[in-house]
Amino acid sequence: MPITQADAQRFAAAWLTAWNAHDLEQIFEHYADDFCFSSPVICARGFSGSGVLQGKTALRAYWERGLSSIPPLQFELLELFLGSDCVTIRYRSVGRALVAETFFFGPDGKVVRAAAAYAPLE
């Protein structure tokens, strides 16, 4: 079934709340065990030359580092975009960086694939 605007808003609110609480287990509740995540920051931090990590085990160390960063992560929702099987959240991150993250959902409503893209810092 296509994702509704209400579904997208609920997901975005819960996802942002989990990240802003710095609660990794609460964050992981949104994802399938073997989900795939891609981000240029994965490369920049030396976790994978491809910029892609697969599964909660692989993502744990990467996200733990992000959650322990200084200044602490704090996400601010700017826009929400709806697709038939995906949601894109545009938000402000650390250092006022602009990020757009797209989430693809499996039949159980868990994220199976996500990709983050970053605007150049001005």
Side-chain angles (χ1 to χ4, degrees):
M1 283 190 83
I3 298 166
T4 67
Q5 186 67 33
D7 294 335
Q9 289 173 329
R10 273 191 298 277
F11 172 79
W15 185 85
L16 286 160
T17 296
W19 276 101
N20 288 339
H22 301 148
D23 184 334
L24 186 57
E25 298 313 313
Q26 188 180 358
I27 294 165
F28 274 146
E29 288 179 14
H30 301 284
Y31 298 88
D33 288 340
D34 63 345
F35 78 101
C36 180
F37 180 66
S38 61
S39 166
V41 178
I42 291 171
C43 290
R45 293 195 176 153
F47 281 88
S48 167
S50 68
V52 177
L53 292 173
Q54 181 92 31
K56 290 180 180 178
T57 301
L59 266 296
R60 184 170 293 280
Y62 171 68
W63 281 351
E64 282 175 343
R65 183 182 294 178
L67 290 172
S68 66
S69 66
I70 305 294
L73 286 176
Q74 193 66 29
F75 296 161
E76 172 192 354
L77 178 65
L78 298 176
E79 292 180 285
L80 184 60
F81 302 93
L82 184 61
S84 61
D85 65 345
C86 66
V87 169
T88 298
I89 299 173
R90 185 173 165 264
Y91 59 95
R92 213 171 276 290
S93 183
V94 175
R96 307 296 290 161
L98 292 174
V99 184
E101 195 159 336
T102 300
F103 305 87
F104 291 87
F105 298 89
D108 63 355
K110 300 283 186 180
V111 175
V112 295
R113 184 167 54 96
Y118 298 79
L121 289 176
E122 298 175 2

